[in-house]
Amino acid sequence: MKEKESFMREAIKLSIDSMLAGNGGPFGAIVVKDGKIIARGFNKVTSTNDPTAHAEVVAIREACKVLNSFQLTGCELYTSCEPCPMCLGAIYWARPDKIYFANTKADAAAIGFDDQFIYNELELAIPDRNLITEQLLQEEAIIAFQKWQQKEDKIKY
């Protein structure tokens, strides 16, 4: 348990230090493999003008570079806050073995980082969502999927 707490303290420290340095919101994350930190990430949304530069996404990108892999099998992710929907999706795609978090999404909402509207939107039918969404050229786009199905040397993920 002490090791887990030590790793979480590192994620929390990143969240505080990077926020105070003006990098973005108060969020930090680390990726651990075989008991060692292999990647660190902190929120860089406002400092890089990248809305996807959340701590978890930054840490996942760095860990994948370190491992030269698109999957984090055998890794654990420690994040200072329960992941937002985007980060949770990225985490599932990265496939770490386990995730640990400190603050909850309710804690984040209390300071202005409320993702509940995204969770609500996902439950709605496409025409009922706030963001206007329209399907175009599916008949042409399906060709890419058909070619993928036929591709013999594809790397599945």
Side-chain angles (χ1 to χ4, degrees):
M1 186 58 119
K2 295 288 187 205
E3 186 177 65
K4 291 178 189 176
E5 292 173 358
S6 176
F7 290 139
M8 184 57 76
R9 284 190 180 97
E10 179 65 19
I12 293 168
K13 182 177 182 334
L14 277 170
S15 75
I16 295 168
D17 292 350
S18 64
M19 181 264 305
L20 292 175
N23 292 310
F27 304 97
I30 63 168
V31 177
V32 174
K33 185 170 177 80
D34 300 326
K36 293 187 168 88
I37 297 172
I38 63 164
R40 290 173 170 80
F42 51 86
N43 186 284
K44 298 180 179 183
V45 170
T46 58
S47 61
T48 62
N49 294 319
D50 180 353
T52 69
H54 290 200
E56 297 91 338
V57 172
V58 172
I60 288 168
R61 289 173 179 163
E62 183 60 31
C64 288
K65 285 180 195 171
V66 168
L67 296 174
N68 194 31
S69 174
F70 54 83
Q71 294 187 341
L72 298 180
T73 306
C75 295
E76 297 175 334
L77 189 135
Y78 292 77
T79 180
S80 65
C81 186
E82 185 177 359
C84 75
M86 176 186 70
C87 291
L88 189 58
I91 291 164
Y92 271 93
W93 279 115
R95 295 179 177 90
D97 292 355
K98 193 163 188 180
I99 179 174
Y100 300 92
F101 69 93
N103 291 319
T104 66
K105 63 183 180 181
D107 296 328
I111 62 163
F113 293 95
D114 191 353
D115 299 321
Q116 191 59 48
F117 78 97
I118 298 173
Y119 289 106
N120 294 343
E121 287 282 299
L122 292 171
E123 297 296 320
L124 297 175
I126 291 172
D128 297 331
R129 293 181 183 166
N130 286 305
L131 180 61
I132 298 168
T133 305
E134 182 179 344
Q135 185 178 18
L136 296 172
L137 302 177
Q138 189 269 341
E139 300 84 8
E140 293 178 30
I142 199 70
I143 294 168
F145 285 7
Q146 292 165 346
K147 290 185 181 296
W148 174 257
Q149 278 187 304
Q150 297 164 359
K151 186 173 171 53
E152 292 184 19
D153 63 342
K154 63 186 163 206
I155 299 172
K156 294 183 179 182
Y157 57 98

